[in-house]
Amino acid sequence: MSKFTLALVAGTSAAVGAAASAAVYSFGGRKKPDENPQTIISPVATRTGPTAPYPVPIHAADGRVPTIPPVDPSGIYQYGFPGPVNDLRPASSLVSCFDRARRNPQWVAEHITPASLLKREGDRRHSVFTEDDSIPEKFRAKLKDYFRSGYDRGHQVPAADAKWSQAAMNSTFALSNMCPQVGDGFNRDYWAHFEDFCRRLTSFYPSVRIVTGPLYLPKRDPVDGKWRVSYEVIGHPPNVAVPTHFYKVILAEDGKTGGNVSLGAFVLPNAVISNNKDLKDFEVPMEAIERASGLEFAGLLPPARKKRLCQEVSCSIIVKEYQERQKTMMSPPPVKGNVSGPTAVART
């Protein structure tokens, strides 16, 4: 694991907005045999007016009239909930959660199996990039935002994972499944090899779930030594944030009820990466991604069922020329259990 990458991720804690909840106070009690009836708590009155009603106690247990709050902050809800709103998008090939402020997905989840990769009924030549009209127009990423930006429209769930139907493949081309990615040397090279590694996991695991998304990590200022988050924004006007890094969380299931799940967590910079770079250099603890993203990926998975992916299989990419790699993507995945040969993931 790269000490530099781990230092960046593990030292970051993303601030995630939380919705405020209104506190509702009520008073009540049960009469005891020796209790003075006059000390029993009175019913609750409700204030009415332009703000949302909330209960106001008339008497406290000791008979005193409590102070009525002079303000009602939760009354803002009558005009609408400010947010944040996370647009969930369930589609045939993915489930995603959209970040309106950065016009990028927060996370996109997919599921691949040997059977899903074997079917080839989708053709990307029939798919087109589209804006996601399920997201309000003022918050969505637009096609023009990427025009002459210098960045690829980088799939978070790759089209090659959704060849099992044309509709499934089409669903991966919505901009809510995209982030600006460096093209040559990353999206079209190392990142594509990484996606191929994920597909090759189906040669050993019957079910592979993958969560992918962007990160915006801090960088130490060489002048004052302070850590700051800085990222480019593209668009007209500037709308879409350019992530500094991307993560993939892999949950490879053994297919048994209550069986083991092999976990892998990786963070890659949104930059040119040499093809001879070891994939394990980008492996990080799951908690590091969770702290950096404000997300949690396997909180319900019992520790006894957790395995480390890179201890189960060889975490390495296979480098091919682009045309050769495209041909390989079109070929069926290896038969389950066959972990030999150049297109399989070797078991360690």
Side-chain angles (χ1 to χ4, degrees):
M1 175 194 331
S2 168
K3 294 182 179 178
F4 176 72
T5 301
L6 179 57
L8 283 181
V9 182
T12 307
S13 180
V16 178
S21 57
V24 178
Y25 298 94
S26 62
F27 294 82
R30 293 182 298 174
K31 179 180 177 182
K32 297 180 181 179
D34 58 348
E35 196 172 19
N36 185 340
Q38 294 183 351
T39 64
I40 297 177
I41 299 169
S42 301
V44 174
T46 301
R47 170 184 288 182
T48 59
T51 59
Y54 61 93
V56 178
I58 297 177
H59 294 287
D62 59 3
R64 294 183 302 174
V65 178
T67 302
I68 297 176
V71 297
D72 176 23
S74 61
I76 193 67
Y77 297 151
Q78 68 182 303
Y79 304 112
F81 179 67
V85 175
N86 297 313
D87 299 278
L88 287 173
R89 179 194 174 214
S92 55
S93 60
L94 57 87
V95 178
S96 65
C97 181
F98 192 74
D99 179 351
R100 291 184 173 187
R102 294 188 174 106
R103 275 75 171 177
N104 281 324
Q106 292 179 321
W107 55 264
V108 189
E110 61 173 314
H111 182 212
I112 57 176
T113 66
S116 72
L117 297 181
L118 185 61
K119 295 182 67 175
R120 300 189 302 277
E121 298 179 5
D123 187 337
R124 67 180 299 146
R125 291 175 297 181
H126 302 313
S127 299
V128 294
F129 291 97
T130 60
E131 297 176 10
D132 190 338
D133 58 10
S134 69
I135 298 169
E137 191 273 339
K138 63 183 176 182
F139 298 125
R140 74 178 69 141
K142 300 178 176 62
L143 293 170
K144 66 179 181 179
D145 292 330
Y146 284 87
F147 182 66
R148 292 183 176 177
S149 68
Y151 293 96
D152 284 4
R153 293 166 290 196
H155 285 70
Q156 301 303 280
V157 169
D161 290 1
K163 291 182 177 181
W164 51 272
S165 82
Q166 189 63 50
M169 178 170 286
N170 290 346
S171 68
T172 69
F173 279 81
L175 291 189
S176 56
N177 182 45
M178 307 289 163
C179 291
Q181 287 186 324
V182 171
D184 288 335
F186 184 65
N187 181 44
R188 305 171 207 168
D189 294 282
Y190 200 95
W191 184 254
H193 302 322
F194 187 23
E195 292 172 336
D196 179 66
F197 161 79
C198 294
R199 284 187 288 273
R200 288 186 287 113
L201 288 172
T202 59
S203 66
F204 183 61
Y205 299 98
S207 173
V208 179
R209 302 185 187 276
I210 307 165
V211 185
T212 306
L215 290 173
Y216 311 87
L217 299 185
K219 187 175 182 179
R220 188 188 293 274
D221 191 300
V223 178
D224 60 17
K226 295 181 179 180
W227 292 84
R228 293 183 174 87
V229 176
S230 176
Y231 53 84
E232 184 181 351
V233 182
I234 63 172
H236 308 283
N239 287 301
V240 183
V242 180
T244 63
H245 294 72
F246 290 93
Y247 69 83
K248 275 190 184 291
V249 172
I250 301 171
L251 301 93
E253 303 165 333
D254 66 8
K256 301 175 183 177
T257 302
N260 295 328
V261 181
S262 297
L263 302 177
F266 302 85
V267 172
L268 282 68
N270 188 12
V272 175
I273 302 176
S274 172
N275 281 334
N276 59 17
K277 183 73 171 175
D278 192 342
L279 179 60
K280 287 187 289 187
D281 288 345
F282 300 112
E283 184 188 13
V284 299
M286 179 85 74
E287 183 183 358
I289 298 179
E290 292 176 333
R291 288 173 60 86
S293 64
L295 307 172
E296 191 170 26
F297 301 100
L300 298 180
L301 182 64
R305 295 176 56 195
K306 295 180 180 180
K307 301 293 181 182
R308 182 184 164 198
L309 180 70
C310 291
Q311 289 180 339
E312 300 287 311
V313 300
S314 174
C315 288
S316 60
I317 66 169
I318 294 177
V319 178
K320 307 180 185 71
E321 293 298 327
Y322 187 78
Q323 293 296 330
E324 181 63 27
R325 179 171 52 79
Q326 289 293 90
K327 293 178 183 178
T328 302
M329 286 181 180
M330 294 296 294
S331 64
V335 178
K336 177 183 174 182
N338 176 16
V339 294
S340 61
T343 60
V345 176
R347 184 175 183 177
T348 58

